[in-house]
Amino acid sequence: MSAFLATIPSPDRGVWHLGPIPLRAYALCIIAGIIVAIWWGERRWIARGGTKGTVIDIAVFAVPFGLVGGRLYHVITDPELYFTEGRNPWNAFAIWDGGLGIWGAIALGAVGALIACRRKGIPLPAMADAVAPGIVVAQAIGRIGNYFNQELYGAHTDLPWGLEVYQRFNPEDPDNLLNGVATGHIPLPESPVHPTFLYELIWNLLVALLVVWADRRFKLGHGRVFALYVAGYTVGRGWIEMMRTDTANHILGLRVNVWTSILLFLGAMAYFVVAAKRGPREAPELLAGKDAVPAEVASSEALSEDGEPEHAKVAASPEAASAEAASEGADPEHVKVAAEPAAAEKPVAAEAPAEEPKKTDES
């Protein structure tokens, strides 16, 4: 009993039903992570000199691309889960049942972000730097979904923070235990286990702190913040991945994700060094892109399509001003007088006798 109290219990289930609508903890955690990443990225982007709403516009492209990429990476690296005998290939599309590869999400999400950045005329590396801490925090939040799904844990442990994992039952679909319920809290044979998803959650939050500190301290730019995030995350993912006991494909004795982490770490560090030669962080005016407000517009010098100030056109054409005023119900004569050039600008003949000023509405 005392050993049980010293461990972390698992949730009974990862899915609840609101009538016919399933509420999946994994999906809710992914959505919450996306919201946090967008919110924080928006704040950082504005602080760097970007315009409000840009990160949301980028996310419209990046998030769908990222979800597709994450699923593709998962299916490609674990094809036996969907395309072997007895498996249903259509489950490859069942993203709600879990299974997203972070590197596929980052890779294809970057493609979507690149498309959006080019449409808005802003540099992708600067955008990546702004959203990097939010992305790694979003990954941490997503790991909570693994806790509810009772997945991605490690081997047996007697440590006080060991995780109790239970048998789940699904009478309607005995093979789909992900949607099952742990009735009776019957522990699995390997229970308690290392909560490797919890280790990664904590590691991700530490990486976020490191990235924010380094960015503030050294004013990183040109994608170096994002490179630091990738390098920091892969260091933790490498050793945590080797602790996991879930099924995975191996290459030369190492899990595929361990090799991926090694290669990405080396690539991120190389980029971090090379990008330093590009100089200081991007100037704020470069981040506005096509959303930038021209100086003449900001000073109320709105230009017409041919580049001439609109108010100059009106002043140069009294007849046009009179016609426009008449259409709006104003006195044409009054407008015509107001549209005439100033008296001081007219040449006055010296021999002309002085005349009594003509009375107008303004006299």
Side-chain angles (χ1 to χ4, degrees):
M1 183 67 175
S2 59
F4 175 78
L5 292 176
T7 58
I8 303 172
S10 290
D12 291 340
R13 66 183 72 194
V15 182
W16 299 265
H17 288 83
L18 187 61
I21 302 175
L23 300 178
R24 303 178 185 275
Y26 183 82
L28 294 176
C29 290
I30 293 296
I31 294 172
I34 292 173
I35 292 173
V36 170
I38 293 174
W39 170 79
W40 196 4
E42 181 83 357
R43 289 174 60 89
R44 285 174 52 83
W45 181 254
I46 294 174
R48 283 172 175 256
T51 56
K52 185 177 181 180
T54 301
V55 173
I56 297 176
D57 293 339
I58 301 299
V60 170
F61 285 81
V63 171
F65 274 73
L67 291 175
V68 173
R71 190 60 175 180
L72 283 175
Y73 182 89
H74 167 71
V75 173
I76 291 172
T77 55
D78 294 296
E80 68 280 356
L81 298 178
Y82 307 99
F83 305 110
T84 55
E85 185 178 356
R87 300 285 185 170
N88 183 1
W90 290 106
N91 286 340
F93 298 96
I95 192 173
W96 50 86
D97 284 337
L100 290 175
I102 182 59
W103 298 122
I106 294 295
L108 210 54
V111 173
L114 175 62
I115 295 172
C117 284
R118 286 188 172 180
R119 288 167 59 94
K120 297 186 74 67
I122 58 178
L124 176 62
M127 175 59 64
D129 285 343
V131 300
I135 289 177
V136 72
V137 170
Q139 292 175 237
I141 296 173
R143 287 307 180 199
I144 301 175
N146 300 137
Y147 171 61
F148 280 94
N149 279 356
Q150 198 172 255
E151 60 186 358
L152 307 188
Y153 49 79
H156 173 76
T157 181
D158 293 325
L159 293 172
W161 55 82
L163 177 74
E164 291 287 349
V165 286
Y166 309 121
Q167 294 184 25
R168 289 184 175 181
F169 303 94
N170 186 354
E172 298 179 359
D173 187 359
D175 294 330
N176 187 4
L177 298 182
L178 192 63
N179 293 332
V181 180
T183 57
H185 289 171
I186 304 173
L188 294 175
E190 62 269 29
S191 184
V193 296
H194 280 285
T196 51
F197 55 82
L198 177 60
Y199 299 163
E200 187 173 327
L201 186 157
I202 296 172
W203 183 268
N204 289 348
L205 295 179
L206 293 176
V207 170
L209 291 175
L210 170 66
V211 168
V212 171
W213 171 82
D215 189 27
R216 291 180 177 177
R217 175 67 177 80
F218 302 106
K219 304 297 181 184
L220 302 176
H222 303 288
R224 299 180 75 203
V225 178
F226 191 85
L228 184 60
Y229 142 64
V230 173
Y233 172 72
T234 51
V235 169
R237 180 61 185 268
W239 64 267
I240 294 172
E241 183 75 21
M242 290 188 287
M243 296 181 65
R244 286 167 44 173
T245 58
D246 54 302
T247 303
N249 293 317
H250 290 69
I251 299 177
L252 300 178
L254 291 178
R255 294 163 68 101
V256 170
N257 282 329
V258 175
W259 283 112
T260 304
S261 296
I262 293 172
L263 295 176
L264 288 174
F265 172 80
L266 296 175
M269 291 307 299
Y271 181 89
F272 187 87
V273 174
V274 172
K277 300 178 181 179
R278 301 185 64 181
R281 176 187 291 177
E282 297 89 342
E285 55 267 21
L286 295 178
L287 306 187
K290 296 179 180 179
D291 293 333
V293 178
E296 58 270 21
V297 174
S299 61
S300 300
E301 287 286 329
L303 301 181
S304 63
E305 292 182 357
D306 58 5
E308 184 178 1
E310 293 289 352
H311 72 273
K313 283 188 169 185
V314 174
S317 178
E319 294 78 6
S322 179
E324 180 181 356
S327 66
E328 296 178 356
D331 183 2
E333 289 299 324
H334 175 79
V335 176
K336 187 172 182 180
V337 172
E340 290 290 340
E345 298 176 358
K346 289 186 175 182
V348 180
E351 65 276 6
E355 296 181 2
E356 182 180 353
K358 181 180 179 180
K359 293 184 179 181
T360 67
D361 293 340
E362 295 177 353
S363 60

